[in-house]
Short mmCIF file of all heavy atoms in Angstrom, two decimals:
data_model
loop_
_atom_site.label_atom_id
_atom_site.label_comp_id
_atom_site.label_asym_id
_atom_site.label_seq_id
_atom_site.Cartn_x
_atom_site.Cartn_y
_atom_site.Cartn_z
N GLU A 97 276.20 68.16 -81.73
CA GLU A 97 277.19 68.33 -82.89
C GLU A 97 278.58 68.11 -82.38
O GLU A 97 279.42 67.48 -83.12
CB GLU A 97 277.00 69.75 -83.40
CG GLU A 97 277.92 70.05 -84.74
CD GLU A 97 277.49 69.08 -85.92
OE1 GLU A 97 276.44 68.43 -85.81
OE2 GLU A 97 278.34 69.05 -86.79
N HIS A 98 278.91 68.67 -81.26
CA HIS A 98 280.26 68.39 -80.69
C HIS A 98 280.44 66.86 -80.50
O HIS A 98 281.48 66.26 -80.86
CB HIS A 98 280.44 69.09 -79.43
CG HIS A 98 281.67 68.80 -78.64
ND1 HIS A 98 281.67 67.85 -77.54
CD2 HIS A 98 282.96 69.12 -78.79
CE1 HIS A 98 282.83 67.75 -77.09
NE2 HIS A 98 283.71 68.56 -77.86
N ALA A 99 279.46 66.20 -79.88
CA ALA A 99 279.50 64.70 -79.60
C ALA A 99 279.67 63.93 -80.87
O ALA A 99 280.33 62.89 -80.91
CB ALA A 99 278.23 64.31 -78.84
N ARG A 100 278.97 64.30 -81.94
CA ARG A 100 279.00 63.65 -83.21
C ARG A 100 280.45 63.56 -83.77
O ARG A 100 280.97 62.61 -84.17
CB ARG A 100 278.06 64.27 -84.24
CG ARG A 100 278.09 63.53 -85.63
CD ARG A 100 277.23 64.20 -86.56
NE ARG A 100 277.74 65.56 -87.02
CZ ARG A 100 278.73 65.66 -87.96
NH1 ARG A 100 279.19 64.65 -88.60
NH2 ARG A 100 279.06 66.92 -88.27
N LEU A 101 281.09 64.75 -83.83
CA LEU A 101 282.43 64.86 -84.35
C LEU A 101 283.49 64.14 -83.47
O LEU A 101 284.28 63.44 -83.97
CB LEU A 101 282.83 66.32 -84.50
CG LEU A 101 282.12 67.11 -85.62
CD1 LEU A 101 282.52 68.58 -85.57
CD2 LEU A 101 282.45 66.53 -86.97
N ARG A 102 283.27 64.22 -82.25
CA ARG A 102 284.18 63.64 -81.30
C ARG A 102 283.98 62.01 -81.36
O ARG A 102 284.97 61.34 -81.28
CB ARG A 102 283.87 64.07 -79.85
CG ARG A 102 284.79 63.63 -78.79
CD ARG A 102 284.39 64.22 -77.41
NE ARG A 102 285.21 63.66 -76.32
CZ ARG A 102 286.24 64.36 -75.75
NH1 ARG A 102 286.43 65.59 -76.15
NH2 ARG A 102 286.97 63.91 -74.78
N ARG A 103 282.73 61.58 -81.46
CA ARG A 103 282.50 60.17 -81.58
C ARG A 103 283.16 59.55 -82.80
O ARG A 103 283.66 58.40 -82.77
CB ARG A 103 281.04 59.93 -81.57
CG ARG A 103 280.65 58.52 -81.43
CD ARG A 103 279.05 58.39 -81.12
NE ARG A 103 278.23 59.21 -82.06
CZ ARG A 103 277.55 60.25 -81.68
NH1 ARG A 103 277.55 60.66 -80.38
NH2 ARG A 103 276.87 60.95 -82.55
N GLY A 104 283.19 60.35 -83.87
CA GLY A 104 283.81 59.83 -85.09
C GLY A 104 285.26 59.53 -85.10
O GLY A 104 285.75 58.82 -85.90
N ILE A 105 285.96 60.15 -84.14
CA ILE A 105 287.44 60.02 -84.11
C ILE A 105 287.94 59.43 -82.81
O ILE A 105 289.17 59.15 -82.67
CB ILE A 105 288.21 61.34 -84.42
CG1 ILE A 105 287.77 62.37 -83.38
CG2 ILE A 105 287.88 61.80 -85.87
CD1 ILE A 105 288.55 63.65 -83.51
N ARG A 106 287.10 59.29 -81.85
CA ARG A 106 287.62 58.95 -80.47
C ARG A 106 288.28 57.60 -80.49
O ARG A 106 289.10 57.31 -79.62
CB ARG A 106 286.50 58.96 -79.46
CG ARG A 106 285.37 57.93 -79.61
CD ARG A 106 284.23 58.14 -78.68
NE ARG A 106 283.19 57.13 -78.88
CZ ARG A 106 281.95 57.21 -78.35
NH1 ARG A 106 281.74 58.25 -77.62
NH2 ARG A 106 281.05 56.31 -78.58
N ASP A 107 287.93 56.64 -81.39
CA ASP A 107 288.55 55.27 -81.38
C ASP A 107 290.01 55.37 -81.61
O ASP A 107 290.73 54.49 -81.09
CB ASP A 107 287.90 54.38 -82.44
CG ASP A 107 286.50 53.92 -81.96
OD1 ASP A 107 286.11 54.19 -80.84
OD2 ASP A 107 285.81 53.31 -82.90
N ALA A 108 290.47 56.42 -82.29
CA ALA A 108 291.89 56.54 -82.55
C ALA A 108 292.67 56.84 -81.32
O ALA A 108 293.93 56.76 -81.26
CB ALA A 108 292.17 57.61 -83.63
N PHE A 109 291.99 57.30 -80.27
CA PHE A 109 292.64 57.77 -79.04
C PHE A 109 292.44 56.90 -77.81
O PHE A 109 292.69 57.35 -76.61
CB PHE A 109 292.26 59.25 -78.76
CG PHE A 109 292.64 60.23 -79.82
CD1 PHE A 109 291.76 60.52 -80.74
CD2 PHE A 109 293.87 60.68 -79.87
CE1 PHE A 109 292.13 61.50 -81.74
CE2 PHE A 109 294.30 61.62 -80.85
CZ PHE A 109 293.40 62.01 -81.81
N THR A 110 291.93 55.68 -78.07
CA THR A 110 291.68 54.84 -76.99
C THR A 110 293.04 54.34 -76.30
O THR A 110 294.08 54.37 -77.00
CB THR A 110 290.96 53.58 -77.33
OG1 THR A 110 291.67 52.83 -78.35
CG2 THR A 110 289.47 53.92 -77.89
#
Side-chain angles (χ1 to χ4, degrees):
E97 184 63 11
H98 171 260
R100 179 184 70 83
L101 291 175
R102 188 179 176 104
R103 189 165 53 245
I105 59 173
R106 67 185 178 192
D107 285 353
F109 296 97
T110 63

